[in-house]
Amino acid sequence: MIVRKSPEDLEKMRRSGLLVWQVLRELESMIEEGITTLDMEKAAERMFRDAGARPAFKGYYVPAAGAAYPFVLCTSVNEEVVHGMPSARRVLKKGDIISIDTGAELEGFYGDSAITVPVGEVDARTQELLRTTREALEQAIEKMRPGNRLFDVCGAIENHVTSRGFSVVREYVGHGIGSRLHEEPQVPNYVDRRNENPRLKEGMVLAIEPMVNAGAPGTRVLSDGWTAVTRDGSRSAHFEHCVAVTSNGPWVLTRP
Ligand code: MF3
Ligand code: CO
């Protein structure tokens, strides 16, 4: 069942969404050569607590991993796709890209968002990977209108990414979001005809999160049980926003 949110619920989701946006902006401004992903983790945890919010990922049980995720942030560098774990040993260097994914719960409602940021200058193909992933998310957001269908959202991502010679990850998907971090429906970054294709209605909120590989689509999980990496070692980008369907069109809750 897809839970539709009332206007009051959406206002609460807006508040958690804007907090997540603000924290991501602060983290982005910290990124430079020499910083560690654990530095970012500590800053994020402090910002969420100061705002009276509960970090949504820390302690969140993930069935596929068979464990609770231990950090506030997922920090995935270069060929890491998602669920990279902050570490004092992970020192960022020029030419890296880092995806920062985080979520928060405020007044019973969740926000969830991710960005991928270059560390200093990155090569042209990496810039194109980031741009294409961001554009794919924007095109998917544009489909979040009453009367459209879920496959319009998924297909917008798939079409844009493949048209640029990149590939979408299939093992991880976006999701409905609200008073739980993960709600129905699943939102794959491609049209999965095994799934239903519900019509989008006012009050539905989706966390849309294209994960795009520079090379082949395959991924595997490292022996730490969490970090997903590309099988071929190619780089991967990830952007995510929570988006509500309204009568006035798409409302991106996780940016001003
Ligand atoms: N943004 C991801 C998601 O929505 C990350 C959450 S996984 C967790 O699924 F383990 F970190 F919680
Ligand atoms: Co998400």
Side-chain angles (χ1 to χ4, degrees):
M1 185 201 46
I2 302 176
V3 181
R4 293 166 67 185
K5 281 77 189 178
S6 68
E8 295 73 33
D9 294 346
L10 288 183
E11 287 300 334
K12 290 180 185 166
M13 296 194 71
R14 176 59 163 169
R15 286 195 279 279
S16 57
L18 281 182
L19 174 61
V20 170
W21 172 80
Q22 201 181 350
V23 167
L24 286 176
R25 282 291 289 259
E26 291 291 334
L27 296 173
E28 183 176 11
S29 74
M30 291 173 65
I31 290 175
E32 59 176 347
E33 181 158 64
I35 192 177
T36 75
T37 51
L38 191 66
D39 295 330
M40 300 166 68
E41 165 76 13
K42 287 177 178 161
E45 180 149 36
R46 181 165 16 81
M47 288 187 275
F48 282 128
R49 305 272 183 223
D50 286 352
R54 193 178 60 78
F57 294 0
K58 195 169 177 171
Y60 185 78
Y61 184 79
V62 178
Y69 187 71
F71 295 98
V72 170
L73 302 180
C74 298
T75 50
S76 309
V77 180
N78 297 340
E79 78 287 355
E80 296 171 357
V81 178
V82 286
H83 303 164
M85 290 185 288
S87 162
R89 295 187 318 265
R90 184 55 128 163
V91 184
L92 296 184
K93 50 187 199 312
K94 287 199 180 102
D96 285 345
I97 55 172
I98 176 170
S99 140
I100 316 167
D101 186 358
T102 194
E105 181 239 312
L106 199 60
E107 298 178 89
F109 285 88
Y110 285 85
D112 181 8
S113 185
I115 54 175
T116 304
V117 184
V119 184
E121 292 264 299
V122 297
D123 62 83
R125 187 66 176 158
T126 299
Q127 288 177 33
E128 200 184 339
L129 174 69
L130 300 188
R131 183 172 61 246
T132 299
T133 309
R134 211 184 289 111
E135 288 168 352
L137 175 55
E138 292 306 323
Q139 295 194 12
I141 289 169
E142 197 45 45
K143 300 292 184 190
M144 289 286 286
R145 295 172 184 280
N148 279 353
R149 287 181 181 273
L150 182 62
F151 285 0
D152 296 320
V153 175
C154 306
I157 296 169
E158 180 176 28
N159 290 338
H160 188 65
V161 168
T162 56
S163 78
R164 297 293 187 271
F166 297 120
S167 60
V168 296
V169 169
R170 302 176 90 87
E171 292 90 347
Y172 303 91
V173 298
H175 48 94
I177 183 168
S179 58
R180 291 177 299 141
L181 178 61
H182 292 147
E183 298 185 354
E184 288 180 25
Q186 295 202 126
V187 185
N189 294 306
Y190 63 99
V191 175
D192 186 346
R193 297 201 182 276
R194 296 169 301 183
N195 292 353
E196 282 181 81
N197 184 18
R199 210 176 270 287
L200 302 179
K201 295 187 176 141
E202 263 181 72
M204 289 183 178
V205 184
L206 302 182
I208 306 173
E209 45 182 318
M211 291 154 259
V212 176
N213 295 352
T219 67
R220 67 187 173 90
V221 176
L222 297 185
S223 57
D224 63 21
W226 286 102
T227 313
V229 298
T230 59
R231 277 188 180 273
D232 64 4
S234 68
R235 290 181 158 198
S236 190
H238 180 205
F239 287 86
E240 175 177 20
H241 275 305
C242 295
V243 187
V245 176
T246 81
S247 56
N248 295 323
W251 185 13
V252 182
L253 300 170
T254 43
R255 73 177 168 211

